[in-house]
Amino acid sequence: MGAQLRVYKRRIRSVTATKKITKAMEMIAASRIVKAQRKVAASTPYATELTRAVTAVATGSTTKHPLTTEAETPARAAILLITSDRGLAGGYSSNAIKAAERLTDRLRGEGKEVVTYVIGRKGVAYYGFRERKLADSWTGFTDSPTYADAKRAAAPLIEAVTQETAEGGVDELHIVFTEFVSMMTQNPVDDRMLPLSLDATKEDAGKGEILPLFDFEPSAEDVLDALLPRYVESRIYNALLQAAASEHAARRRAMKSATDNAGELIKTLSRLANAARQAEITQEISEIVGGASALADATAGSDK
């Protein structure tokens, strides 16, 4: 019985140490969410306005450009998947990977060859374990991305978009990331970055909204060439910030759940340890009473 009590005490100490770690990670993630939310709020208006500017230029010109021109028979599509570098974030990375797999299946069903780019060690490990080739990958900055990181990831994507498919280029560019909705809700989404969809602008025009007229200097094509890198970089940067905020929120939720579970396990083990201690005390008392009774019987027998 004493051995069982020692086992319970050892497990309680182990779970208590784990609880301290998960609680600390929960607090760290909670503190980082606020900072990540501020970055998202600061970058989203820029990305939105830049997209509107590109859309305005595209609708105001007839120039064929990779930003706006749909290929007659698109043959290749690129997917940029954003995952995390670290684990302990629940299903954050796996949900993003599942969304990328669904998008890959859909594009292949349309007869397109898919080229995959990945940000984050979890995504790289997923494709590496399955021996699936990646066009390029980046790691080490998912929890706190900078614009330089987005620019570094955007460079090969922009090059692929501007090349002919026969030379290794792509006709479409998609991005898969986790959108931060709230502290409790983060949704994996896939979005087509290129060619830019002009449906929303056409709908506004159809509703009677007056669209501005633009003069382009030196030309619409030159303006689009200048906006293409900025557009892709800003969209990737905003997606990285959204993903970072989602990662911290998912990790905070996972660590809170782990902390709560550790607390419940400690209560259960404490009850078992108390029961074992009670049983041990009861057994000792029984042995003492039994010994005293046996001694009394032996003494009574010798007196006769």
Side-chain angles (χ1 to χ4, degrees):
M1 193 63 68
Q4 187 66 35
L5 181 59
R6 287 194 296 272
V7 170
Y8 288 137
K9 288 183 176 179
R10 185 166 59 249
R11 290 191 62 190
I12 289 173
R13 287 195 297 270
S14 176
V15 175
T16 300
T18 302
K19 181 181 177 181
K20 291 180 180 178
I21 295 173
T22 56
K23 184 63 176 179
M25 295 183 67
E26 176 190 348
M27 296 175 66
I28 291 171
S31 66
R32 290 178 175 176
I33 291 173
V34 178
K35 186 177 180 180
Q37 282 181 293
R38 290 174 182 169
K39 288 185 177 181
V40 171
S43 70
T44 299
Y46 175 78
T48 302
E49 289 302 321
L50 184 56
T51 301
R52 290 181 61 184
V54 173
T55 303
V57 175
T59 54
S61 69
T62 58
T63 302
K64 290 187 177 181
H65 194 273
L67 263 173
T68 58
T69 305
E70 295 270 2
E72 294 183 2
T73 55
R76 302 185 82 216
I79 296 177
L80 174 62
L81 168 63
I82 300 177
T83 62
S84 65
D85 285 321
R86 299 186 294 125
L88 301 177
Y92 165 76
S93 292
S94 61
N95 290 336
I97 291 172
K98 289 177 182 176
E101 292 287 45
R102 289 193 295 268
L103 176 59
T104 299
D105 292 340
R106 177 165 62 84
L107 293 175
R108 286 175 177 168
E110 296 172 358
K112 301 170 186 174
E113 179 186 354
V114 177
V115 184
T116 306
Y117 298 78
V118 175
I119 295 176
R121 291 191 178 94
K122 290 297 178 180
V124 173
Y126 175 86
Y127 287 92
F129 180 77
R130 288 158 180 78
E131 297 182 350
R132 293 165 62 179
K133 185 178 179 181
L134 295 176
D136 207 342
S137 62
W138 303 269
T139 60
F141 55 82
T142 59
D143 60 343
S144 184
T146 64
Y147 194 85
D149 298 321
K151 191 172 183 178
R152 182 155 52 94
L157 295 172
I158 296 171
E159 183 180 357
V161 168
T162 55
Q163 286 181 338
E164 297 292 335
T165 54
E167 300 174 357
V170 297
D171 299 310
E172 296 178 0
L173 175 56
H174 300 258
I175 186 170
V176 179
F177 65 99
T178 305
E179 181 184 23
F180 182 85
V181 179
S182 67
M183 295 287 285
M184 298 302 298
T185 306
Q186 301 86 43
N187 298 324
V189 296
D190 65 85
D191 192 13
R192 192 181 78 171
M193 287 197 294
L194 295 174
L196 187 65
S197 176
L198 305 180
D199 293 339
T201 304
K202 293 177 180 178
E203 290 178 3
D204 292 337
K207 294 176 183 177
E209 181 176 340
I210 299 176
L211 299 177
L213 297 176
F214 294 91
D215 289 328
F216 307 111
E217 292 292 344
S219 67
E221 185 176 2
D222 291 333
V223 173
L224 289 172
D225 285 339
L227 287 176
L228 175 60
R230 304 289 85 77
Y231 168 75
V232 176
E233 290 165 6
S234 67
R235 289 291 301 274
I236 293 177
Y237 181 53
N238 184 257
L240 284 172
L241 294 178
Q242 295 262 7
S246 300
E247 178 185 348
H248 294 315
R251 182 169 290 111
R252 174 187 173 276
R253 191 166 60 251
M255 291 300 98
K256 185 180 186 306
S257 178
T259 302
D260 294 341
N261 291 338
E264 292 298 323
L265 183 56
I266 289 172
K267 290 180 181 179
T268 301
L269 292 173
S270 297
R271 285 195 292 267
L272 293 173
N274 291 335
R277 186 182 300 109
Q278 293 268 356
E280 184 178 355
I281 294 171
T282 301
Q283 182 177 354
E284 290 178 355
I285 292 174
S286 298
E287 290 175 353
I288 292 172
V289 172
S293 178
L295 182 59
D297 291 343
T299 303
S302 61
D303 290 340
K304 294 179 181 178

